[in-house]
Amino acid sequence: MADYIKVLDSDKGYPLDMFCIPRHYEEDLESVLLPRGLIADRTERLARNIVQDMDNSGAVYALCVLKGGYKFFTDLLDCIKALNRNAETSIPMYVDFIRLKSYENDKSSGEIKVIGGDNLSNLTGKNVLIVEDIVDTGKTMQKLLNIVSKFQPASVKVASLLVKRTHRSVGYRPDYIGFEVPDEFVVGYALDYNEYFRDLSHICVINENGKKKYSTQ
Ligand code: IMP
């Protein structure tokens, strides 16, 4: 059984006029791929899987990959906190943030920059849970795992809301995956295109008009 929801290439998503889209993005999107309700329900289950796996292993140091990961991070942690409030056992959580940048327009720049973050020596000896929005080629996560491992955490797990099905993949797979999606550029739910669309609730496929309008060139 697959441990993620597979969105097929033939699945074109939902028409925009079936959902509420901000007026300022109406012309810039192809379809709604993942409505926010579906994201919320899947996130709730991922939280349960994570808590089951991490029970008895002590505190978890949750590391949010900004900016795109912030929505998934807060929603996932809210679900974990709800489980912590209501179960016989609970997992103490720490939170931290790191900022990476790899994309210009809809292409990976090839170069991944760490442009923010706390003192990662806090990770030493901890059970680290890295929370990311999307794994595309997997290069960003490989680089981050490399950086994190230098601080000798007790364990490292990765939760990514999305994984793209692409021939450019280096083969890296996160431990927890929400959805595997087609090789399209997706925006919304904090995922951006040149800093636009973070203020869109659903995960949508950007269209050519949107790419042109918000291009940096
Ligand atoms: P990777 O190194 O190719 O795996 O790229 C990972 C990073 O690229 C993610 O953390 C995102 O910031 C960004 N990214 C890749 N694909 C998309 C997309 O479809 N929409 C928005 N951001 C993306």
Side-chain angles (χ1 to χ4, degrees), residues 139-173:
K139 287 181 192 160
T140 303
M141 193 46 68
Q142 277 191 336
K143 159 121 187 192
L144 180 57
L145 286 169
N146 213 327
I147 295 168
V148 166
S149 72
K150 295 203 173 92
F151 295 90
Q152 299 183 305
S155 68
V156 183
K157 297 268 188 212
V158 176
S160 183
L161 177 63
L162 308 177
V163 169
K164 232 184 244 188
R165 203 165 39 250
T166 168
H167 65 271
R168 299 181 311 280
S169 168
V170 294
Y172 169 75
R173 297 296 273 191

Side-chain angles (χ1 to χ4, degrees), residues 22-62:
R23 279 284 148 80
H24 56 277
Y25 291 140
E26 267 176 4
E27 308 294 313
D28 311 322
L29 301 167
E30 197 66 47
S31 63
V32 176
L33 195 63
L34 300 169
R36 67 174 170 160
L38 178 59
I39 300 169
D41 290 329
R42 179 73 186 126
T43 302
E44 186 182 13
R45 181 56 199 251
L46 287 176
R48 187 164 112 186
N49 295 352
I50 291 168
V51 167
Q52 275 169 354
D53 290 352
M54 298 214 171
D55 218 4
N56 300 323
S57 48
V60 172
Y61 202 100

Side-chain angles (χ1 to χ4, degrees), residues 5-7 11 13-14 19 32-46 72 75 79 161-162 178-181 189 201-203:
I5 292 175
K6 185 169 181 172
V7 181
D11 187 347
Y14 303 94
F19 292 93
V32 176
L33 195 63
L34 300 169
R36 67 174 170 160
L38 178 59
I39 300 169
D41 290 329
R42 179 73 186 126
T43 302
E44 186 182 13
R45 181 56 199 251
L46 287 176
F72 179 47
D75 290 345
C79 292
L161 177 63
L162 308 177
F179 303 87
E180 187 191 78
V181 296
Y189 193 72
S201 304
H202 313 293
I203 293 183

